[in-house]
PDB file of all heavy atoms in Angstrom:
ATOM      1  N   LYS A 861       3.542  -6.803  12.930  1.00 49.00           N
ATOM      2  CA  LYS A 861       3.099  -7.419  11.693  1.00 49.00           C
ATOM      3  C   LYS A 861       2.535  -6.384  10.767  1.00 49.00           C
ATOM      4  O   LYS A 861       2.070  -5.329  11.195  1.00 49.00           O
ATOM      5  CB  LYS A 861       2.016  -8.467  12.034  1.00 49.00           C
ATOM      6  CG  LYS A 861       2.519  -9.619  12.897  1.00 49.00           C
ATOM      7  CD  LYS A 861       1.363 -10.578  13.175  1.00 49.00           C
ATOM      8  CE  LYS A 861       1.802 -11.721  14.092  1.00 49.00           C
ATOM      9  NZ  LYS A 861       0.650 -12.601  14.414  1.00 49.00           N
ATOM     10  N   LEU A 862       2.520  -6.647   9.491  1.00 47.00           N
ATOM     11  CA  LEU A 862       2.014  -5.665   8.512  1.00 47.00           C
ATOM     12  C   LEU A 862       0.601  -5.246   8.818  1.00 47.00           C
ATOM     13  O   LEU A 862       0.248  -4.075   8.720  1.00 47.00           O
ATOM     14  CB  LEU A 862       2.077  -6.271   7.091  1.00 47.00           C
ATOM     15  CG  LEU A 862       2.055  -5.292   5.946  1.00 47.00           C
ATOM     16  CD1 LEU A 862       3.238  -4.311   6.052  1.00 47.00           C
ATOM     17  CD2 LEU A 862       2.087  -6.040   4.616  1.00 47.00           C
ATOM     18  N   VAL A 863      -0.254  -6.172   9.254  1.00 48.00           N
ATOM     19  CA  VAL A 863      -1.669  -5.839   9.496  1.00 48.00           C
ATOM     20  C   VAL A 863      -1.802  -4.939  10.764  1.00 48.00           C
ATOM     21  O   VAL A 863      -2.754  -4.200  10.915  1.00 48.00           O
ATOM     22  CB  VAL A 863      -2.491  -7.131   9.679  1.00 48.00           C
ATOM     23  CG1 VAL A 863      -2.166  -7.791  11.004  1.00 48.00           C
ATOM     24  CG2 VAL A 863      -3.995  -6.832   9.590  1.00 48.00           C
ATOM     25  N   ASP A 864      -0.771  -4.986  11.623  1.00 55.00           N
ATOM     26  CA  ASP A 864      -0.794  -4.157  12.852  1.00 55.00           C
ATOM     27  C   ASP A 864      -0.058  -2.809  12.673  1.00 55.00           C
ATOM     28  O   ASP A 864      -0.076  -1.972  13.586  1.00 55.00           O
ATOM     29  CB  ASP A 864      -0.183  -4.918  14.036  1.00 55.00           C
ATOM     30  CG  ASP A 864      -0.961  -6.181  14.358  1.00 55.00           C
ATOM     31  OD1 ASP A 864      -2.212  -6.152  14.202  1.00 55.00           O
ATOM     32  OD2 ASP A 864      -0.385  -7.183  14.749  1.00 55.00           O
ATOM     33  N   LEU A 865       0.590  -2.638  11.568  1.00 56.00           N
ATOM     34  CA  LEU A 865       1.424  -1.448  11.357  1.00 56.00           C
ATOM     35  C   LEU A 865       0.518  -0.293  10.978  1.00 56.00           C
ATOM     36  O   LEU A 865      -0.090  -0.265   9.880  1.00 56.00           O
ATOM     37  CB  LEU A 865       2.455  -1.727  10.246  1.00 56.00           C
ATOM     38  CG  LEU A 865       3.400  -0.538   9.960  1.00 56.00           C
ATOM     39  CD1 LEU A 865       4.174  -0.163  11.196  1.00 56.00           C
ATOM     40  CD2 LEU A 865       4.351  -0.940   8.813  1.00 56.00           C
ATOM     41  N   GLN A 866       0.393   0.690  11.829  1.00 74.00           N
ATOM     42  CA  GLN A 866      -0.526   1.845  11.607  1.00 74.00           C
ATOM     43  C   GLN A 866       0.263   3.151  11.779  1.00 74.00           C
ATOM     44  O   GLN A 866       0.729   3.430  12.863  1.00 74.00           O
ATOM     45  CB  GLN A 866      -1.714   1.810  12.555  1.00 74.00           C
ATOM     46  CG  GLN A 866      -2.609   0.617  12.332  1.00 74.00           C
ATOM     47  CD  GLN A 866      -3.873   0.717  13.181  1.00 74.00           C
ATOM     48  OE1 GLN A 866      -3.964   1.491  14.122  1.00 74.00           O
ATOM     49  NE2 GLN A 866      -4.876  -0.018  12.804  1.00 74.00           N
ATOM     50  N   ILE A 867       0.365   3.875  10.684  1.00 80.00           N
ATOM     51  CA  ILE A 867       1.064   5.186  10.764  1.00 80.00           C
ATOM     52  C   ILE A 867       0.313   6.119  11.679  1.00 80.00           C
ATOM     53  O   ILE A 867       0.922   6.830  12.532  1.00 80.00           O
ATOM     54  CB  ILE A 867       1.164   5.818   9.358  1.00 80.00           C
ATOM     55  CG1 ILE A 867       2.102   5.020   8.493  1.00 80.00           C
ATOM     56  CG2 ILE A 867       1.632   7.252   9.447  1.00 80.00           C
ATOM     57  CD1 ILE A 867       3.537   5.039   8.923  1.00 80.00           C
ATOM     58  N   GLY A 868      -1.053   6.093  11.611  1.00 79.00           N
ATOM     59  CA  GLY A 868      -1.817   6.920  12.517  1.00 79.00           C
ATOM     60  C   GLY A 868      -1.604   6.583  13.947  1.00 79.00           C
ATOM     61  O   GLY A 868      -1.484   7.460  14.831  1.00 79.00           O
ATOM     62  N   GLY A 869      -1.525   5.292  14.259  1.00 80.00           N
ATOM     63  CA  GLY A 869      -1.280   4.841  15.624  1.00 80.00           C
ATOM     64  C   GLY A 869       0.113   5.336  16.097  1.00 80.00           C
ATOM     65  O   GLY A 869       0.228   5.743  17.290  1.00 80.00           O
ATOM     66  N   ILE A 870       1.103   5.297  15.265  1.00 85.00           N
ATOM     67  CA  ILE A 870       2.439   5.793  15.627  1.00 85.00           C
ATOM     68  C   ILE A 870       2.430   7.263  15.895  1.00 85.00           C
ATOM     69  O   ILE A 870       2.978   7.772  16.866  1.00 85.00           O
ATOM     70  CB  ILE A 870       3.459   5.437  14.487  1.00 85.00           C
ATOM     71  CG1 ILE A 870       3.608   3.924  14.336  1.00 85.00           C
ATOM     72  CG2 ILE A 870       4.780   6.103  14.762  1.00 85.00           C
ATOM     73  CD1 ILE A 870       4.441   3.498  13.158  1.00 85.00           C
ATOM     74  N   VAL A 871       1.708   8.055  15.038  1.00 85.00           N
ATOM     75  CA  VAL A 871       1.621   9.490  15.261  1.00 85.00           C
ATOM     76  C   VAL A 871       0.939   9.779  16.612  1.00 85.00           C
ATOM     77  O   VAL A 871       1.375  10.667  17.325  1.00 85.00           O
ATOM     78  CB  VAL A 871       0.830  10.127  14.070  1.00 85.00           C
ATOM     79  CG1 VAL A 871       0.540  11.620  14.415  1.00 85.00           C
ATOM     80  CG2 VAL A 871       1.620  10.071  12.799  1.00 85.00           C
ATOM     81  N   LEU A 872      -0.111   9.037  16.925  1.00 81.00           N
ATOM     82  CA  LEU A 872      -0.815   9.229  18.209  1.00 81.00           C
ATOM     83  C   LEU A 872       0.147   8.905  19.398  1.00 81.00           C
ATOM     84  O   LEU A 872       0.112   9.638  20.409  1.00 81.00           O
ATOM     85  CB  LEU A 872      -2.091   8.412  18.273  1.00 81.00           C
ATOM     86  CG  LEU A 872      -3.210   8.816  17.321  1.00 81.00           C
ATOM     87  CD1 LEU A 872      -4.394   7.866  17.450  1.00 81.00           C
ATOM     88  CD2 LEU A 872      -3.654  10.240  17.566  1.00 81.00           C
ATOM     89  N   LEU A 873       0.896   7.863  19.259  1.00 85.00           N
ATOM     90  CA  LEU A 873       1.900   7.533  20.371  1.00 85.00           C
ATOM     91  C   LEU A 873       2.936   8.600  20.479  1.00 85.00           C
ATOM     92  O   LEU A 873       3.316   8.935  21.628  1.00 85.00           O
ATOM     93  CB  LEU A 873       2.544   6.213  20.034  1.00 85.00           C
ATOM     94  CG  LEU A 873       1.631   4.951  20.196  1.00 85.00           C
ATOM     95  CD1 LEU A 873       2.364   3.705  19.738  1.00 85.00           C
ATOM     96  CD2 LEU A 873       1.230   4.779  21.674  1.00 85.00           C
ATOM     97  N   ILE A 874       3.330   9.201  19.360  1.00 87.00           N
ATOM     98  CA  ILE A 874       4.295  10.303  19.414  1.00 87.00           C
ATOM     99  C   ILE A 874       3.713  11.515  20.131  1.00 87.00           C
ATOM    100  O   ILE A 874       4.355  12.184  20.908  1.00 87.00           O
ATOM    101  CB  ILE A 874       4.791  10.669  17.992  1.00 87.00           C
ATOM    102  CG1 ILE A 874       5.659   9.517  17.419  1.00 87.00           C
ATOM    103  CG2 ILE A 874       5.573  11.984  17.979  1.00 87.00           C
ATOM    104  CD1 ILE A 874       5.960   9.624  15.954  1.00 87.00           C
ATOM    105  N   MET A 875       2.414  11.780  19.841  1.00 84.00           N
ATOM    106  CA  MET A 875       1.757  12.879  20.498  1.00 84.00           C
ATOM    107  C   MET A 875       1.637  12.638  22.039  1.00 84.00           C
ATOM    108  O   MET A 875       1.783  13.566  22.812  1.00 84.00           O
ATOM    109  CB  MET A 875       0.330  13.079  19.933  1.00 84.00           C
ATOM    110  CG  MET A 875       0.247  13.431  18.466  1.00 84.00           C
ATOM    111  SD  MET A 875       1.162  14.903  18.000  1.00 84.00           S
ATOM    112  CE  MET A 875       2.623  14.176  17.269  1.00 84.00           C
ATOM    113  N   GLN A 876       1.431  11.395  22.422  1.00 82.00           N
ATOM    114  CA  GLN A 876       1.397  11.075  23.867  1.00 82.00           C
ATOM    115  C   GLN A 876       2.774  11.293  24.465  1.00 82.00           C
ATOM    116  O   GLN A 876       2.862  11.778  25.611  1.00 82.00           O
ATOM    117  CB  GLN A 876       0.939   9.609  24.026  1.00 82.00           C
ATOM    118  CG  GLN A 876      -0.550   9.410  23.898  1.00 82.00           C
ATOM    119  CD  GLN A 876      -0.969   8.007  24.338  1.00 82.00           C
ATOM    120  OE1 GLN A 876      -0.259   7.037  24.088  1.00 82.00           O
ATOM    121  NE2 GLN A 876      -2.102   7.915  24.966  1.00 82.00           N
ATOM    122  N   ALA A 877       3.833  10.903  23.768  1.00 86.00           N
ATOM    123  CA  ALA A 877       5.179  11.105  24.285  1.00 86.00           C
ATOM    124  C   ALA A 877       5.455  12.587  24.440  1.00 86.00           C
ATOM    125  O   ALA A 877       6.068  13.028  25.417  1.00 86.00           O
ATOM    126  CB  ALA A 877       6.218  10.453  23.350  1.00 86.00           C
ATOM    127  N   CYS A 878       4.940  13.397  23.523  1.00 85.00           N
ATOM    128  CA  CYS A 878       5.129  14.880  23.590  1.00 85.00           C
ATOM    129  C   CYS A 878       4.391  15.394  24.860  1.00 85.00           C
ATOM    130  O   CYS A 878       4.986  16.223  25.591  1.00 85.00           O
ATOM    131  CB  CYS A 878       4.554  15.577  22.325  1.00 85.00           C
ATOM    132  SG  CYS A 878       5.520  15.287  20.852  1.00 85.00           S
ATOM    133  N   ALA A 879       3.180  14.938  25.085  1.00 79.00           N
ATOM    134  CA  ALA A 879       2.419  15.385  26.254  1.00 79.00           C
ATOM    135  C   ALA A 879       3.124  15.020  27.538  1.00 79.00           C
ATOM    136  O   ALA A 879       3.204  15.823  28.498  1.00 79.00           O
ATOM    137  CB  ALA A 879       0.999  14.815  26.225  1.00 79.00           C
ATOM    138  N   SER A 880       3.703  13.801  27.586  1.00 80.00           N
ATOM    139  CA  SER A 880       4.409  13.346  28.793  1.00 80.00           C
ATOM    140  C   SER A 880       5.666  14.184  28.998  1.00 80.00           C
ATOM    141  O   SER A 880       6.050  14.370  30.186  1.00 80.00           O
ATOM    142  CB  SER A 880       4.799  11.880  28.639  1.00 80.00           C
ATOM    143  OG  SER A 880       3.656  11.052  28.528  1.00 80.00           O
ATOM    144  N   ALA A 881       6.256  14.663  27.959  1.00 82.00           N
ATOM    145  CA  ALA A 881       7.500  15.475  28.063  1.00 82.00           C
ATOM    146  C   ALA A 881       7.191  16.942  28.311  1.00 82.00           C
ATOM    147  O   ALA A 881       8.136  17.749  28.435  1.00 82.00           O
ATOM    148  CB  ALA A 881       8.345  15.307  26.826  1.00 82.00           C
ATOM    149  N   GLY A 882       5.922  17.313  28.384  1.00 79.00           N
ATOM    150  CA  GLY A 882       5.544  18.739  28.626  1.00 79.00           C
ATOM    151  C   GLY A 882       5.546  19.573  27.336  1.00 79.00           C
ATOM    152  O   GLY A 882       5.634  20.795  27.405  1.00 79.00           O
ATOM    153  N   ILE A 883       5.414  18.907  26.194  1.00 83.00           N
ATOM    154  CA  ILE A 883       5.363  19.633  24.898  1.00 83.00           C
ATOM    155  C   ILE A 883       3.909  19.668  24.425  1.00 83.00           C
ATOM    156  O   ILE A 883       3.320  18.616  24.240  1.00 83.00           O
ATOM    157  CB  ILE A 883       6.241  18.923  23.842  1.00 83.00           C
ATOM    158  CG1 ILE A 883       7.690  18.826  24.363  1.00 83.00           C
ATOM    159  CG2 ILE A 883       6.167  19.646  22.525  1.00 83.00           C
ATOM    160  CD1 ILE A 883       8.521  17.861  23.546  1.00 83.00           C
ATOM    161  N   ARG A 884       3.363  20.865  24.270  1.00 81.00           N
ATOM    162  CA  ARG A 884       1.981  21.018  23.869  1.00 81.00           C
ATOM    163  C   ARG A 884       1.916  21.026  22.335  1.00 81.00           C
ATOM    164  O   ARG A 884       2.463  21.952  21.685  1.00 81.00           O
ATOM    165  CB  ARG A 884       1.341  22.229  24.448  1.00 81.00           C
ATOM    166  CG  ARG A 884      -0.142  22.304  24.303  1.00 81.00           C
ATOM    167  CD  ARG A 884      -0.796  23.369  25.131  1.00 81.00           C
ATOM    168  NE  ARG A 884      -0.460  24.725  24.666  1.00 81.00           N
ATOM    169  CZ  ARG A 884      -0.003  25.690  25.405  1.00 81.00           C
ATOM    170  NH1 ARG A 884       0.192  25.489  26.697  1.00 81.00           N
ATOM    171  NH2 ARG A 884       0.258  26.894  24.906  1.00 81.00           N
ATOM    172  N   ILE A 885       1.272  20.044  21.752  1.00 80.00           N
ATOM    173  CA  ILE A 885       1.164  19.923  20.319  1.00 80.00           C
ATOM    174  C   ILE A 885      -0.149  20.555  19.838  1.00 80.00           C
ATOM    175  O   ILE A 885      -1.186  20.366  20.494  1.00 80.00           O
ATOM    176  CB  ILE A 885       1.189  18.447  19.881  1.00 80.00           C
ATOM    177  CG1 ILE A 885       2.565  17.845  20.261  1.00 80.00           C
ATOM    178  CG2 ILE A 885       0.945  18.271  18.409  1.00 80.00           C
ATOM    179  CD1 ILE A 885       3.725  18.392  19.474  1.00 80.00           C
ATOM    180  N   PRO A 886      -0.214  21.301  18.721  1.00 79.00           N
ATOM    181  CA  PRO A 886      -1.456  21.857  18.251  1.00 79.00           C
ATOM    182  C   PRO A 886      -2.501  20.798  18.031  1.00 79.00           C
ATOM    183  O   PRO A 886      -2.221  19.682  17.624  1.00 79.00           O
ATOM    184  CB  PRO A 886      -1.039  22.490  16.870  1.00 79.00           C
ATOM    185  CG  PRO A 886       0.414  22.735  16.996  1.00 79.00           C
ATOM    186  CD  PRO A 886       0.985  21.657  17.899  1.00 79.00           C
ATOM    187  N   ALA A 887      -3.779  21.176  18.303  1.00 75.00           N
ATOM    188  CA  ALA A 887      -4.891  20.198  18.251  1.00 75.00           C
ATOM    189  C   ALA A 887      -5.025  19.585  16.859  1.00 75.00           C
ATOM    190  O   ALA A 887      -5.358  18.430  16.730  1.00 75.00           O
ATOM    191  CB  ALA A 887      -6.192  20.894  18.642  1.00 75.00           C
ATOM    192  N   GLU A 888      -4.702  20.346  15.788  1.00 77.00           N
ATOM    193  CA  GLU A 888      -4.873  19.788  14.468  1.00 77.00           C
ATOM    194  C   GLU A 888      -3.928  18.643  14.154  1.00 77.00           C
ATOM    195  O   GLU A 888      -4.176  17.800  13.291  1.00 77.00           O
ATOM    196  CB  GLU A 888      -4.698  20.887  13.380  1.00 77.00           C
ATOM    197  CG  GLU A 888      -3.373  21.570  13.358  1.00 77.00           C
ATOM    198  CD  GLU A 888      -3.363  22.852  14.155  1.00 77.00           C
ATOM    199  OE1 GLU A 888      -4.194  22.992  15.085  1.00 77.00           O
ATOM    200  OE2 GLU A 888      -2.483  23.682  13.928  1.00 77.00           O
ATOM    201  N   ILE A 889      -2.798  18.561  14.912  1.00 80.00           N
ATOM    202  CA  ILE A 889      -1.855  17.449  14.722  1.00 80.00           C
ATOM    203  C   ILE A 889      -2.468  16.155  15.290  1.00 80.00           C
ATOM    204  O   ILE A 889      -2.322  15.073  14.687  1.00 80.00           O
ATOM    205  CB  ILE A 889      -0.501  17.770  15.337  1.00 80.00           C
ATOM    206  CG1 ILE A 889       0.049  19.069  14.826  1.00 80.00           C
ATOM    207  CG2 ILE A 889       0.466  16.619  15.077  1.00 80.00           C
ATOM    208  CD1 ILE A 889       0.195  19.120  13.320  1.00 80.00           C
ATOM    209  N   SER A 890      -3.137  16.250  16.418  1.00 76.00           N
ATOM    210  CA  SER A 890      -3.793  15.044  17.000  1.00 76.00           C
ATOM    211  C   SER A 890      -4.923  14.651  16.079  1.00 76.00           C
ATOM    212  O   SER A 890      -5.185  13.463  15.866  1.00 76.00           O
ATOM    213  CB  SER A 890      -4.359  15.415  18.384  1.00 76.00           C
ATOM    214  OG  SER A 890      -3.314  15.525  19.334  1.00 76.00           O
ATOM    215  N   LEU A 891      -5.643  15.642  15.477  1.00 79.00           N
ATOM    216  CA  LEU A 891      -6.692  15.330  14.507  1.00 79.00           C
ATOM    217  C   LEU A 891      -6.111  14.663  13.297  1.00 79.00           C
ATOM    218  O   LEU A 891      -6.691  13.676  12.751  1.00 79.00           O
ATOM    219  CB  LEU A 891      -7.339  16.654  14.103  1.00 79.00           C
ATOM    220  CG  LEU A 891      -8.687  16.561  13.341  1.00 79.00           C
ATOM    221  CD1 LEU A 891      -9.744  15.899  14.201  1.00 79.00           C
ATOM    222  CD2 LEU A 891      -9.139  17.968  12.919  1.00 79.00           C
ATOM    223  N   LEU A 892      -4.893  15.066  12.913  1.00 83.00           N
ATOM    224  CA  LEU A 892      -4.215  14.409  11.807  1.00 83.00           C
ATOM    225  C   LEU A 892      -3.891  12.950  12.105  1.00 83.00           C
ATOM    226  O   LEU A 892      -4.047  12.038  11.276  1.00 83.00           O
ATOM    227  CB  LEU A 892      -2.919  15.205  11.480  1.00 83.00           C
ATOM    228  CG  LEU A 892      -1.916  14.553  10.569  1.00 83.00           C
ATOM    229  CD1 LEU A 892      -2.509  14.381   9.162  1.00 83.00           C
ATOM    230  CD2 LEU A 892      -0.638  15.373  10.472  1.00 83.00           C
ATOM    231  N   GLY A 893      -3.453  12.692  13.354  1.00 80.00           N
ATOM    232  CA  GLY A 893      -3.116  11.311  13.778  1.00 80.00           C
ATOM    233  C   GLY A 893      -4.340  10.416  13.666  1.00 80.00           C
ATOM    234  O   GLY A 893      -4.269   9.291  13.139  1.00 80.00           O
ATOM    235  N   LYS A 894      -5.514  10.917  14.101  1.00 80.00           N
ATOM    236  CA  LYS A 894      -6.726  10.137  14.029  1.00 80.00           C
ATOM    237  C   LYS A 894      -7.168   9.949  12.563  1.00 80.00           C
ATOM    238  O   LYS A 894      -7.620   8.849  12.217  1.00 80.00           O
ATOM    239  CB  LYS A 894      -7.841  10.825  14.811  1.00 80.00           C
ATOM    240  CG  LYS A 894      -9.076  10.015  15.000  1.00 80.00           C
ATOM    241  CD  LYS A 894      -8.758   8.748  15.812  1.00 80.00           C
ATOM    242  CE  LYS A 894      -9.908   7.801  15.880  1.00 80.00           C
ATOM    243  NZ  LYS A 894     -11.043   8.366  16.583  1.00 80.00           N
ATOM    244  N   THR A 895      -6.941  10.920  11.778  1.00 85.00           N
ATOM    245  CA  THR A 895      -7.240  10.804  10.300  1.00 85.00           C
ATOM    246  C   THR A 895      -6.402   9.685   9.705  1.00 85.00           C
ATOM    247  O   THR A 895      -6.904   8.821   8.956  1.00 85.00           O
ATOM    248  CB  THR A 895      -6.976  12.131   9.599  1.00 85.00           C
ATOM    249  OG1 THR A 895      -7.816  13.152  10.170  1.00 85.00           O
ATOM    250  CG2 THR A 895      -7.275  11.994   8.092  1.00 85.00           C
ATOM    251  N   LEU A 896      -5.096   9.711   9.977  1.00 84.00           N
ATOM    252  CA  LEU A 896      -4.221   8.666   9.418  1.00 84.00           C
ATOM    253  C   LEU A 896      -4.583   7.282   9.967  1.00 84.00           C
ATOM    254  O   LEU A 896      -4.437   6.277   9.209  1.00 84.00           O
ATOM    255  CB  LEU A 896      -2.782   9.000   9.741  1.00 84.00           C
ATOM    256  CG  LEU A 896      -2.183  10.235   9.058  1.00 84.00           C
ATOM    257  CD1 LEU A 896      -0.792  10.595   9.589  1.00 84.00           C
ATOM    258  CD2 LEU A 896      -2.129   9.982   7.548  1.00 84.00           C
ATOM    259  N   MET A 897      -5.036   7.226  11.210  1.00 82.00           N
ATOM    260  CA  MET A 897      -5.420   5.883  11.742  1.00 82.00           C
ATOM    261  C   MET A 897      -6.570   5.335  10.995  1.00 82.00           C
ATOM    262  O   MET A 897      -6.634   4.127  10.704  1.00 82.00           O
ATOM    263  CB  MET A 897      -5.727   6.060  13.256  1.00 82.00           C
ATOM    264  CG  MET A 897      -6.119   4.733  13.929  1.00 82.00           C
ATOM    265  SD  MET A 897      -6.351   4.868  15.699  1.00 82.00           S
ATOM    266  CE  MET A 897      -4.678   4.850  16.227  1.00 82.00           C
ATOM    267  N   ASN A 898      -7.598   6.160  10.675  1.00 83.00           N
ATOM    268  CA  ASN A 898      -8.721   5.726   9.877  1.00 83.00           C
ATOM    269  C   ASN A 898      -8.316   5.306   8.497  1.00 83.00           C
ATOM    270  O   ASN A 898      -8.840   4.332   7.959  1.00 83.00           O
ATOM    271  CB  ASN A 898      -9.779   6.831   9.790  1.00 83.00           C
ATOM    272  CG  ASN A 898     -10.628   6.952  11.025  1.00 83.00           C
ATOM    273  OD1 ASN A 898     -11.003   5.933  11.637  1.00 83.00           O
ATOM    274  ND2 ASN A 898     -10.941   8.152  11.450  1.00 83.00           N
ATOM    275  N   LEU A 899      -7.301   5.990   7.916  1.00 85.00           N
ATOM    276  CA  LEU A 899      -6.814   5.628   6.579  1.00 85.00           C
ATOM    277  C   LEU A 899      -6.089   4.239   6.649  1.00 85.00           C
ATOM    278  O   LEU A 899      -6.181   3.457   5.705  1.00 85.00           O
ATOM    279  CB  LEU A 899      -5.863   6.708   6.065  1.00 85.00           C
ATOM    280  CG  LEU A 899      -6.536   8.001   5.666  1.00 85.00           C
ATOM    281  CD1 LEU A 899      -5.498   9.007   5.196  1.00 85.00           C
ATOM    282  CD2 LEU A 899      -7.571   7.806   4.587  1.00 85.00           C
ATOM    283  N   ASP A 900      -5.336   4.023   7.735  1.00 83.00           N
ATOM    284  CA  ASP A 900      -4.733   2.718   7.922  1.00 83.00           C
ATOM    285  C   ASP A 900      -5.755   1.593   7.815  1.00 83.00           C
ATOM    286  O   ASP A 900      -5.530   0.584   7.177  1.00 83.00           O
ATOM    287  CB  ASP A 900      -3.969   2.654   9.272  1.00 83.00           C
ATOM    288  CG  ASP A 900      -2.767   3.586   9.319  1.00 83.00           C
ATOM    289  OD1 ASP A 900      -2.189   3.874   8.273  1.00 83.00           O
ATOM    290  OD2 ASP A 900      -2.443   4.065  10.442  1.00 83.00           O
ATOM    291  N   ARG A 901      -6.848   1.800   8.572  1.00 82.00           N
ATOM    292  CA  ARG A 901      -7.893   0.736   8.586  1.00 82.00           C
ATOM    293  C   ARG A 901      -8.513   0.570   7.209  1.00 82.00           C
ATOM    294  O   ARG A 901      -8.796  -0.556   6.766  1.00 82.00           O
ATOM    295  CB  ARG A 901      -8.981   1.121   9.603  1.00 82.00           C
ATOM    296  CG  ARG A 901      -8.499   1.083  11.038  1.00 82.00           C
ATOM    297  CD  ARG A 901      -9.506   1.699  11.995  1.00 82.00           C
ATOM    298  NE  ARG A 901      -9.043   1.712  13.378  1.00 82.00           N
ATOM    299  CZ  ARG A 901      -9.598   2.381  14.370  1.00 82.00           C
ATOM    300  NH1 ARG A 901     -10.665   3.174  14.068  1.00 82.00           N
ATOM    301  NH2 ARG A 901      -9.138   2.325  15.578  1.00 82.00           N
ATOM    302  N   LEU A 902      -8.726   1.719   6.500  1.00 85.00           N
ATOM    303  CA  LEU A 902      -9.279   1.642   5.152  1.00 85.00           C
ATOM    304  C   LEU A 902      -8.324   0.863   4.211  1.00 85.00           C
ATOM    305  O   LEU A 902      -8.740   0.052   3.401  1.00 85.00           O
ATOM    306  CB  LEU A 902      -9.549   3.039   4.628  1.00 85.00           C
ATOM    307  CG  LEU A 902     -10.053   3.110   3.171  1.00 85.00           C
ATOM    308  CD1 LEU A 902     -11.288   3.941   3.072  1.00 85.00           C
ATOM    309  CD2 LEU A 902      -8.972   3.686   2.270  1.00 85.00           C
ATOM    310  N   GLY A 903      -7.032   1.186   4.334  1.00 84.00           N
ATOM    311  CA  GLY A 903      -6.045   0.534   3.464  1.00 84.00           C
ATOM    312  C   GLY A 903      -6.003  -0.992   3.672  1.00 84.00           C
ATOM    313  O   GLY A 903      -5.981  -1.723   2.721  1.00 84.00           O
ATOM    314  N   ILE A 904      -6.060  -1.424   4.951  1.00 83.00           N
ATOM    315  CA  ILE A 904      -6.091  -2.863   5.253  1.00 83.00           C
ATOM    316  C   ILE A 904      -7.357  -3.504   4.761  1.00 83.00           C
ATOM    317  O   ILE A 904      -7.354  -4.620   4.255  1.00 83.00           O
ATOM    318  CB  ILE A 904      -5.903  -3.067   6.760  1.00 83.00           C
ATOM    319  CG1 ILE A 904      -4.577  -2.572   7.234  1.00 83.00           C
ATOM    320  CG2 ILE A 904      -6.039  -4.532   7.113  1.00 83.00           C
ATOM    321  CD1 ILE A 904      -3.342  -3.224   6.592  1.00 83.00           C
TER     322      ILE A 904
END
């Protein structure tokens, strides 16, 4: 649903998929995911 659609949440799930596959993502990218998640909440 539109209210549940979070770009930040999707980025965080992608980072989790990277970790599961053995891909180490820079820390600032995870920080970016959390930033976008907070923006999603602000937008709603």
Side-chain angles (χ1 to χ4, degrees):
K861 297 178 182 177
L862 199 59
V863 72
D864 297 326
L865 181 60
Q866 295 187 343
I867 291 294
I870 295 172
V871 172
L872 292 179
L873 288 174
I874 291 169
M875 298 304 102
Q876 282 189 323
C878 290
S880 299
I883 303 166
R884 192 168 69 231
I885 296 294
E888 60 266 23
I889 305 302
S890 289
L891 194 62
L892 168 64
K894 191 61 187 295
T895 300
L896 291 172
M897 181 175 281
N898 280 321
L899 290 178
D900 291 333
R901 293 170 181 166
L902 176 130
I904 296 300

